[in-house]
Amino acid sequence: MTTTQTALPGWLIEAETAHQKQQRSAAATALRRAKQHARQINTRLADLGIEPIKHASVGPRGQVQPAKLVGADYEQQTYEVRAVWSEQDETVELHTADWESPSPEFGRVRLLQTLADVAAARRETPTIPARRRDYRLEAVDAMNYQADHLSSGDVEALVRAINGITAALLMTTTNPTT
């Protein structure tokens, strides 16, 4: 202990030790779950006679790496298909990504129930969950709207008033250091 540090009370040292134990236990549980899900994906694929390009595995940070079943075929205009564990459905689901996108994002297309589902998934556009809205960014964008281009002076006054109120609210609800 350095001279600038103060001694912690015994109960706080015990609390920190208990917290670290809980964190290790939670991490171990998450790793076991990830390994189990990877095994379940690979078992389901084997049951259907599917030999993936890359089997499901657990990544370096303990997350499930999906199995890659088939790559995209640009000539046939089909998508890459990956097998992922669905916690909600407790089975394997198939994901694809639009290869025409500049930054493809994989999303669910269907559950893997039969071998034919893989062939069908190759032709299905993924359903990507909507991202959370950033209301602060939307408010800043609205404030930057140029009211000068509006055809009515009354509307311009309203837009400017709303921009002022928005700025005031943002100033009271955000931390100026971030």
Side-chain angles (χ1 to χ4, degrees), residues 73-145:
D73 186 339
Y74 306 110
E75 292 177 8
Q76 297 293 320
Q77 296 184 345
T78 58
Y79 302 123
E80 177 179 327
V81 179
R82 294 182 180 182
V84 178
W85 184 256
S86 170
E87 293 258 1
Q88 179 181 354
D89 299 305
E90 296 184 5
T91 190
V92 177
E93 63 184 25
L94 300 175
H95 286 206
T96 64
D98 187 353
W99 48 263
E100 294 177 323
S101 171
S103 57
E105 186 176 347
F106 280 83
R108 178 182 172 151
V109 290
R110 62 177 49 226
L111 295 177
L112 176 59
Q113 297 172 347
T114 68
L115 196 56
D117 289 324
V118 177
R122 294 182 70 199
R123 294 161 178 82
E124 294 179 359
T125 305
T127 303
I128 308 296
R131 295 185 192 269
R132 292 184 63 179
R133 290 179 66 181
D134 185 345
Y135 293 107
R136 183 181 186 284
L137 182 60
E138 288 180 33
V140 170
D141 286 344
M143 286 175 15
N144 290 332
Y145 179 75

Side-chain angles (χ1 to χ4, degrees), residues 3-178:
T3 56
T4 58
Q5 291 178 326
T6 58
L8 295 176
W11 67 266
L12 185 53
I13 293 171
E14 289 179 33
E16 287 294 334
T17 302
H19 176 69
Q20 289 173 1
K21 185 177 179 182
Q22 286 176 342
Q23 294 296 96
R24 285 191 303 272
S25 176
T29 299
L31 183 59
R32 279 193 302 275
R33 185 179 306 119
K35 286 179 179 180
Q36 177 186 7
H37 290 167
R39 274 193 307 274
Q40 289 171 308
I41 292 168
N42 293 328
T43 300
R44 180 65 179 139
L45 296 177
D47 289 348
L48 291 173
I50 298 171
E51 182 59 38
I53 294 170
K54 181 180 146 209
H55 286 85
S57 61
V58 177
R61 295 186 178 179
Q63 74 281 17
V64 177
Q65 300 292 315
K68 181 177 179 180
L69 305 185
V70 63
D73 186 339
Y74 306 110
E75 292 177 8
Q76 297 293 320
Q77 296 184 345
T78 58
Y79 302 123
E80 177 179 327
V81 179
R82 294 182 180 182
V84 178
W85 184 256
S86 170
E87 293 258 1
Q88 179 181 354
D89 299 305
E90 296 184 5
T91 190
V92 177
E93 63 184 25
L94 300 175
H95 286 206
T96 64
D98 187 353
W99 48 263
E100 294 177 323
S101 171
S103 57
E105 186 176 347
F106 280 83
R108 178 182 172 151
V109 290
R110 62 177 49 226
L111 295 177
L112 176 59
Q113 297 172 347
T114 68
L115 196 56
D117 289 324
V118 177
R122 294 182 70 199
R123 294 161 178 82
E124 294 179 359
T125 305
T127 303
I128 308 296
R131 295 185 192 269
R132 292 184 63 179
R133 290 179 66 181
D134 185 345
Y135 293 107
R136 183 181 186 284
L137 182 60
E138 288 180 33
V140 170
D141 286 344
M143 286 175 15
N144 290 332
Y145 179 75
Q146 298 296 321
D148 299 336
H149 302 293
L150 300 174
S151 59
S152 165
D154 291 337
V155 173
E156 286 182 23
L158 285 171
V159 169
R160 290 184 198 283
I162 291 170
N163 287 350
I165 292 169
T166 302
L169 284 172
L170 285 173
M171 291 301 292
T172 61
T173 60
T174 61
N175 183 352
T177 61
T178 59

